[in-house]
Amino acid sequence: MAISRPKSALLRFLYENSLSLVVFILIVGTLAGQFVTGRHDYNDELKEMGLAELSAREYFGSGHFIEATFENWESEFLQMGLYVLLTVWLRQKGSAESKKLYEPEEVDDKPRPHKKDAPWPVRVGGLALALYKHSLSLAFFGLFFVSLWLHAKGGAEVYSLEQVQHGKAAVGIWEYMGTSRFWFESLQNWQSEFLSILSIVGLSIFLRQQGSPESKPVDAAHSETGR
């Protein structure tokens, strides 16, 4: 059933971007909650170590907040980057998240530079097009490596503070990345993201959500692949 277009420009903007706007609000809300609770928790740790508590401004730039934030972001960007790449070549019979097993897909078509409203890299061609063809995965992996570095930077600061409290030397970012603690923090998040990929791929074979583009039609056969 077709949905009528809102007449108001504001309502049209809100409707057409409602998914991004709602998720953005959820991100800001949960990040704010993480900030408040994280500051209280970290200040409790600092008091136990006989150190001064951090103000809200100080905590925002602290290793504790940076590490906690980007440790999670890193795994999310890794998940999406791998998911984008794996679905290029790999298939799952019956899953709504897979391309069709044997039929050609529109996403595999060669870019058409003369197509109306084609993005400028498609019209220009050459290096711009070569990068644009892989820009989604490149963006995710770029964000992953930035988040990985910031996770290590924040973690090194917290780890060094603990080391000094025990009469040991502080560590740098590269040194911290060589510790089992850094990899424990990373791998426990990575495996949970891989589990979420497997869950959506596997569960979408047998289960449905009417109206969601992540689901096959309710009356589709379990063996039917793709949307």
Side-chain angles (χ1 to χ4, degrees):
M1 182 177 66
I3 298 176
S4 59
R5 183 189 296 268
K7 295 181 180 180
S8 164
L10 175 59
L11 290 178
R12 187 162 60 249
F13 172 81
L14 293 175
Y15 174 76
E16 293 177 355
N17 300 280
S18 55
L19 181 57
S20 296
L21 290 171
V22 169
V23 174
F24 178 75
I25 292 171
L26 291 172
I27 292 171
V28 172
T30 52
L31 190 61
Q34 174 198 323
F35 177 85
V36 172
T37 56
R39 177 173 169 245
H40 282 295
D41 181 64
Y42 192 47
N43 277 335
D44 287 341
E45 293 182 20
L46 293 176
K47 282 193 294 185
E48 291 178 4
M49 291 187 286
L51 300 174
E53 296 184 17
L54 299 180
S55 65
R57 182 176 181 178
E58 290 171 329
Y59 180 69
F60 185 77
S62 71
H64 188 270
F65 180 70
I66 292 173
E67 177 188 28
T69 300
F70 290 99
E71 177 186 335
N72 289 315
W73 289 18
E74 138 200 338
S75 60
E76 299 297 334
F77 293 132
L78 176 63
Q79 176 209 46
M80 296 309 301
L82 280 177
Y83 187 59
V84 168
L85 283 184
L86 292 176
T87 52
V88 173
W89 303 292
L90 305 182
R91 305 289 188 272
Q92 176 56 57
K93 182 179 179 181
S95 176
E97 297 300 309
S98 170
K99 291 196 295 187
K100 292 180 174 61
L101 298 179
Y102 304 107
E103 297 87 346
E105 295 263 359
E106 185 179 359
V107 292
D108 294 319
D109 293 344
K110 291 184 177 180
R112 292 172 288 172
H114 302 297
K115 180 183 177 183
K116 182 182 178 181
D117 297 330
W120 72 265
V122 178
R123 299 195 304 271
V124 172
L127 179 60
L129 175 58
L131 291 173
Y132 187 66
K133 285 165 63 176
H134 306 285
S135 56
L136 183 58
S137 59
L138 288 173
F140 278 128
F141 283 114
L143 290 167
F144 163 70
F145 285 115
V146 170
S147 298
L148 184 73
W149 179 257
L150 289 170
H151 165 202
K153 182 179 183 297
E157 180 183 316
V158 175
Y159 187 73
S160 293
L161 184 61
E162 296 172 359
Q163 291 290 92
V164 170
Q165 285 291 306
H166 291 89
K168 299 178 181 179
V171 300
I173 295 175
W174 288 110
E175 291 176 294
Y176 181 65
M177 292 181 74
T179 65
S180 58
R181 173 164 154 174
F182 172 78
W183 289 106
F184 171 72
E185 292 171 345
S186 293
L187 293 170
Q188 68 172 330
N189 284 314
W190 295 3
Q191 58 85 16
S192 68
E193 299 305 330
F194 300 152
L195 176 62
S196 68
I197 291 178
L198 181 62
S199 298
I200 186 64
V201 169
L203 292 176
S204 65
I205 297 174
F206 307 104
L207 306 181
R208 307 288 187 269
Q209 179 56 59
Q210 186 169 6
S212 173
E214 299 305 311
S215 168
K216 293 185 294 187
V218 176
D219 59 357
H222 290 329
S223 60
E224 182 179 325
T225 301
R227 301 181 180 84

